[in-house]
Amino acid sequence: LAVPRTQKAIPASRTIRTKLTTIDITLEELKRKEWGRPGSSPGIAEEMRSIIEGLREMVSGLELCIDAAMDDDSDDRREGERDGN
């Protein structure tokens, strides 16, 4: 039983990139938030901003990995087309 597709498939890389962009935007919004309670140490807010910045760096690194993988896939596909595969 095959279900006919009426829409083109969305590449996984695009879906992952969209999710990473959403995460990055959310982290940027969290970075601007005032952290801590009234009277709490200002170090808490700085620690949260530091954690958030670390997470944003991880997201950026994942985006670079996806770009590299997409480039590799494109190169492999071109080689296969040249070879007649």
Side-chain angles (χ1 to χ4, degrees):
L1 285 179
V3 177
R5 286 194 161 184
T6 56
Q7 297 177 348
K8 280 187 149 182
I10 297 173
S13 57
R14 185 181 303 165
T15 302
I16 293 168
R17 187 170 262 303
T18 300
K19 299 292 184 188
L20 288 174
T21 299
T22 301
I23 292 168
D24 191 50
I25 290 168
T26 302
L27 289 171
E28 178 62 28
E29 289 173 2
L30 287 172
K31 184 177 169 184
R32 296 176 186 188
K33 182 179 176 173
E34 292 297 321
W35 292 99
R37 296 183 181 146
S40 65
S41 166
I44 292 172
E46 191 55 41
E47 183 178 355
M48 287 302 294
R49 285 189 194 92
S50 177
I51 291 169
I52 290 167
E53 193 55 40
L55 291 170
R56 291 189 77 203
E57 288 174 12
M58 286 183 205
V59 167
S60 179
L62 289 171
E63 288 174 339
L64 292 174
C65 289
I66 290 171
D67 289 344
M70 287 173 51
D71 289 344
D72 289 348
D73 286 347
S74 294
D75 291 345
D76 290 346
R77 198 173 308 118
R78 274 180 273 193
E79 286 177 20
E81 290 170 358
R82 269 188 303 221
D83 296 340
N85 294 333

